[in-house]
Amino acid sequence: MTTSASVPTESEGAISSDGTVTDRLVEANARYAAAFTDPGMDAHPVLQVAVVACMDARLDLHDALGLELGDCHTIRNAGGVVTDDVIRSLTISQRALGTRSIVLIHHTGCGLESLTEEFRHDLEMEVGQRPAWAVEAFRDVEQDVRQSMQRVRTSPFLLHTDDVRGFVFDVKTGLLREIDPT
């Protein structure tokens, strides 16, 4: 796996160390675009699946799940929690773009396990405005996967709730552990 720590040196065509991180990303995109060819696909996922996962940088979902470009819709947020905005994305994914299956992936060592709703209070005290969103912190990752599955299964906006499965990704081993919804 390549990480920022293993970026090639400048002489090997690497991203320069000058400028901001965003500058580095834009330079990388220029190299990507130079070799890019239109894959000729549309926005409908080939496998008709949407994957909801945590935004944690340690999760390489495509590699972990054996997915290729165009196979799935990927929806990521803190904790991989099913929030109203995730339901929004899943609804569009199903109703406009044909997905039928939903895979939920939380992971071990998630940062939301160490936060509480006090985080919102602290933000309000700091900036003078209460966030409109909930932190959705949790103590039990398996129970939170079950809660997320239940939110998907009971949403009136989703057409296909019969193939909803939840997992915990182990960041040390790379293995998925399926969570029984009951």
Side-chain angles (χ1 to χ4, degrees):
M1 170 169 70
T2 302
T3 65
S4 295
S6 61
V7 172
T9 65
E10 193 83 36
S11 62
E12 297 171 332
I15 301 168
S16 73
S17 59
D18 298 334
T20 67
V21 171
T22 304
D23 292 334
R24 292 177 60 196
L25 299 176
V26 171
E27 288 175 30
N29 175 256
R31 283 189 298 287
Y32 171 80
F36 183 80
T37 55
D38 181 357
M41 57 181 73
D42 66 17
H44 294 76
V46 173
L47 300 179
Q48 297 182 318
V49 63
V51 178
V52 179
C54 185
M55 65 186 192
D56 191 293
R58 297 172 290 182
L59 277 65
D60 184 345
L61 294 174
H62 276 72
D63 274 353
L65 301 174
L67 296 168
E68 299 293 329
L69 181 67
D71 282 348
C72 72
H73 283 159
T74 306
I75 303 160
R76 295 182 76 153
N77 70 9
V81 176
V82 174
T83 61
D84 287 345
D85 198 56
V86 168
I87 294 293
R88 171 188 165 272
S89 293
L90 289 171
T91 301
I92 293 167
S93 178
Q94 285 191 353
R95 291 181 176 263
L97 297 165
T99 59
R100 300 184 63 83
S101 300
I102 299 172
V103 174
L104 306 174
I105 301 177
H106 287 35
H107 66 91
T108 58
C110 184
L112 282 187
E113 291 176 293
S114 63
L115 289 177
T116 66
E117 290 299 319
E118 189 69 20
F119 183 79
R120 287 179 73 223
H121 173 74
D122 294 345
L123 279 174
E124 181 181 6
M125 294 298 101
E126 179 183 331
V127 301
Q129 181 178 340
R130 176 176 295 184
W133 38 264
V135 175
E136 297 280 351
F138 53 87
R139 294 284 177 250
D140 182 335
V141 68
E142 290 185 14
Q143 182 54 35
D144 202 65
V145 171
R146 286 186 196 94
Q147 176 177 296
S148 289
M149 284 191 279
Q150 185 64 17
R151 285 179 177 173
V152 168
R153 288 191 171 121
T154 59
S155 173
F157 305 109
L158 298 174
L159 297 171
H160 308 287
T161 59
D162 54 322
D163 188 12
V164 178
R165 293 173 65 185
F167 300 85
V168 174
F169 177 87
D170 188 312
V171 298
K172 301 289 186 200
T173 68
L175 289 173
L176 288 175
R177 178 171 35 89
E178 188 158 10
I179 303 303
D180 186 335
T182 57

